Amino acid sequence: MRSGCKLLLLALLQGLLLLTTPLFAQQTLSIPPDSPRWELEQNAKVADYQGRQSLMLDGGAATLKDFEMRDGVIDVDIATPAKRGFFGIQFRIANDGANGEWVYLRQHKSGLPDAMQYTPILNTGANWQIYNGPGFTGSVEIPRDVWFHLRLEVTGAQAKLYVSDMDKPALVMTDLKSGVQKGQVALYVLTGATYFSNFEVRTTPDAPWERHLPPMPIGTLTKWDISPSYDALARNLERPLTTSESSAIQWQQVEAEPPGFVVLYRYREAPHLQVTFQGDFSKRLDPQPGTKVLYARTTIESDRDQVKKLDIGYSDEVSVFLNGRILYRGRSAQGFRDPGFLGIVNPENDAVYLPLKKGSNELLLAISELGGGWGFICRLEDYKQ
């Protein structure tokens, strides 16, 4: 009798567990190019290519309507006759496209270390100048004018991109940076005619959300206050802020993310302007209407009067002020230092020697942005903030 009661109780508990545990319903969608499920934007249309009905994108997007994905697998065939371009998949798109993730290939970089790249989209801006190297860029051969396959596997805070070879990932994204955990899916081409067919998306059970952050190097300046953004051409960026100007600013406290970047698109909307010197190197000193600037300040405590080296990386221009005095003005924009310069941000971009006084010192940066990722990183030798 007692044994029968135990069995009955166990059966009841199992039934209760089934009732209270949500069941995952896997969803697989195969969406043909002419489906009304696609929202076609800009230069996107249905076209026949090499005997296949396809979506043709060239400076446009095809967004899957009435669908959001957290974790899942996206498969698609691609062919591109373009010699130059940027094409790929956007996922976890949120806030009407302002935020999300983007992984893309560059035909003109085939076989080079940055033939493909992952970047988060933050406040409408891509951040490819900030996020580079392992987990963000990689080499892959990109076939031209023949069909090949892409697969994107999204799992928690990580993702893998497969190109042609479905057994070995071409790019492993160890830490997705946007922070968006669920959103829309889109095919996107910045430029260069590209055709897509055999699109399929399959949702998978949600994996644990585990960040894989790099360490924060010693000497990194992590605690900052930032100002609102301003029209850079309306300000004298070689003049420090006066005491009254600084007092009138509503400063926002932010912290650098490992390995030390302050990613300003997280806090301010990205500017979108046509930079004139991208096609004409002789114009690199011309004013660029639409350039934005903000100020960032921090305090450095020094136990004596001394000179310390500050390693600084930034996008795209910087003025460095210490205790109300300008020490440096630099530019690190794409195409500025030479026509092939990409403007990748790292702490070795430049170095400034700071004449610190004993006690508190105010370090003030004026950071200007043209595009590609607004941010900076500062490391002060032998210093702990």
Side-chain angles (χ1 to χ4, degrees), residues 28-33 38 52-57 62 64 72-80 87-91 102-105 143 146-153 160-166 185-189 194-202:
T28 300
L29 298 175
S30 298
I31 311 296
W38 291 113
R52 296 193 191 186
Q53 188 184 61
S54 314
L55 282 170
M56 194 288 291
L57 308 180
L64 190 56
V73 179
I74 299 169
D75 283 282
V76 66
D77 290 338
I78 292 178
T80 175
F87 64 90
I89 301 170
Q90 294 186 345
F91 58 104
W102 184 24
V103 62
Y104 58 92
L105 283 71
V146 296
W147 288 103
F148 64 99
H149 195 71
L150 283 189
R151 173 174 294 161
L152 177 66
E153 295 180 355
K160 295 178 181 179
L161 179 70
Y162 297 79
V163 181
S164 298
D165 182 353
M166 296 299 106
V185 170
L187 305 172
Y188 182 76
V189 175
T194 306
Y195 297 83
F196 300 82
S197 72
N198 292 336
F199 175 89
E200 183 177 280
V201 58
R202 172 171 53 88

Side-chain angles (χ1 to χ4, degrees), residues 322-373:
L322 183 70
N323 298 326
R325 174 187 166 199
I326 188 167
L327 299 182
Y328 179 73
R329 174 77 177 151
R331 293 182 176 181
S332 191
Q334 181 185 12
F336 179 79
R337 298 190 178 188
D338 65 65
F341 183 68
L342 293 176
I344 303 303
V345 179
N346 61 69
E348 293 78 32
N349 283 147
D350 290 309
V352 183
Y353 288 84
L354 304 182
L356 300 172
K357 65 180 182 180
K358 183 179 180 180
S360 297
N361 298 262
E362 183 185 73
L363 178 66
L364 179 72
L365 310 177
I367 305 288
S368 302
E369 170 68 350
L370 301 171

Side-chain angles (χ1 to χ4, degrees), residues 38-39 50 56 67 93 116-117 129 133 138 146 172 178 197 207 209 223 276 290 300 326 335 359 375 378 383:
W38 291 113
E39 180 180 350
Q50 293 187 352
M56 194 288 291
F67 176 81
I93 307 165
M116 55 187 166
Q117 180 152 14
Q129 289 180 322
V146 296
V172 178
S178 78
S197 72
W209 192 270
K223 299 177 181 178
T276 61
I300 299 171
I326 188 167
C378 290
Y383 184 74

Side-chain angles (χ1 to χ4, degrees), residues 136-150:
F136 303 103
T137 53
S139 175
V140 71
E141 296 295 330
I142 303 172
R144 185 165 170 226
D145 219 10
V146 296
W147 288 103
F148 64 99
H149 195 71
L150 283 189

Side-chain angles (χ1 to χ4, degrees), residues 100-374:
E101 315 284 9
W102 184 24
V103 62
Y104 58 92
L105 283 71
R106 302 173 169 100
Q107 296 98 315
H108 53 289
K109 296 277 189 172
S110 178
L112 297 179
D114 56 350
M116 55 187 166
Q117 180 152 14
Y118 154 67
T119 180
I121 305 297
L122 305 171
N123 276 314
T124 73
N127 292 264
W128 58 270
Q129 289 180 322
I130 295 176
Y131 296 109
N132 255 267
F136 303 103
T137 53
S139 175
V140 71
E141 296 295 330
I142 303 172
R144 185 165 170 226
D145 219 10
V146 296
W147 288 103
F148 64 99
H149 195 71
L150 283 189
R151 173 174 294 161
L152 177 66
E153 295 180 355
V154 184
T155 309
Q158 287 77 45
K160 295 178 181 179
L161 179 70
Y162 297 79
V163 181
S164 298
D165 182 353
M166 296 299 106
D167 294 323
K168 182 180 178 181
L171 182 64
V172 178
M173 292 152 267
T174 55
D175 191 68
L176 299 175
K177 297 295 185 181
S178 78
V180 178
Q181 295 195 18
K182 190 175 184 179
Q184 290 184 287
V185 170
L187 305 172
Y188 182 76
V189 175
L190 181 64
T191 186
T194 306
Y195 297 83
F196 300 82
S197 72
N198 292 336
F199 175 89
E200 183 177 280
V201 58
R202 172 171 53 88
T203 57
T204 56
D206 293 351
W209 192 270
E210 298 176 353
R211 301 295 305 276
H212 296 167
L213 297 173
M216 188 76 81
I218 295 174
T220 304
L221 300 183
T222 60
K223 299 177 181 178
W224 295 87
D225 297 330
I226 61 172
S227 75
S229 60
Y230 307 101
D231 178 358
L233 301 189
R235 307 185 74 85
N236 180 357
L237 299 179
E238 296 186 356
R239 180 182 68 80
L241 294 172
T242 65
T243 301
S244 60
E245 287 173 330
S246 183
S247 298
I249 290 174
Q250 290 187 335
W251 296 94
Q252 177 184 354
Q253 292 184 348
V254 301
E255 285 206 20
E257 62 185 68
F261 295 117
V262 179
V263 183
L264 295 173
Y265 283 174
R266 293 196 185 279
Y267 313 103
R268 305 290 181 262
E269 187 172 346
H272 298 277
L273 61 153
Q274 295 294 323
V275 180
T276 61
F277 60 82
Q278 292 295 335
D280 186 347
F281 188 61
S282 67
K283 294 183 178 181
R284 67 191 185 282
L285 296 178
D286 290 358
Q288 302 296 318
T291 306
K292 295 293 184 182
V293 67
L294 63 70
Y295 297 93
R297 69 179 185 183
T298 191
T299 299
I300 299 171
E301 298 292 340
S302 180
D303 59 359
R304 64 186 186 278
D305 291 347
Q306 60 180 318
V307 175
K308 273 187 173 290
K309 179 185 177 183
L310 178 75
D311 290 316
I312 181 170
Y314 54 91
S315 175
D316 286 303
E317 301 176 356
V318 70
S319 298
V320 180
F321 304 92
L322 183 70
N323 298 326
R325 174 187 166 199
I326 188 167
L327 299 182
Y328 179 73
R329 174 77 177 151
R331 293 182 176 181
S332 191
Q334 181 185 12
F336 179 79
R337 298 190 178 188
D338 65 65
F341 183 68
L342 293 176
I344 303 303
V345 179
N346 61 69
E348 293 78 32
N349 283 147
D350 290 309
V352 183
Y353 288 84
L354 304 182
L356 300 172
K357 65 180 182 180
K358 183 179 180 180
S360 297
N361 298 262
E362 183 185 73
L363 178 66
L364 179 72
L365 310 177
I367 305 288
S368 302
E369 170 68 350
L370 301 171
W374 195 1

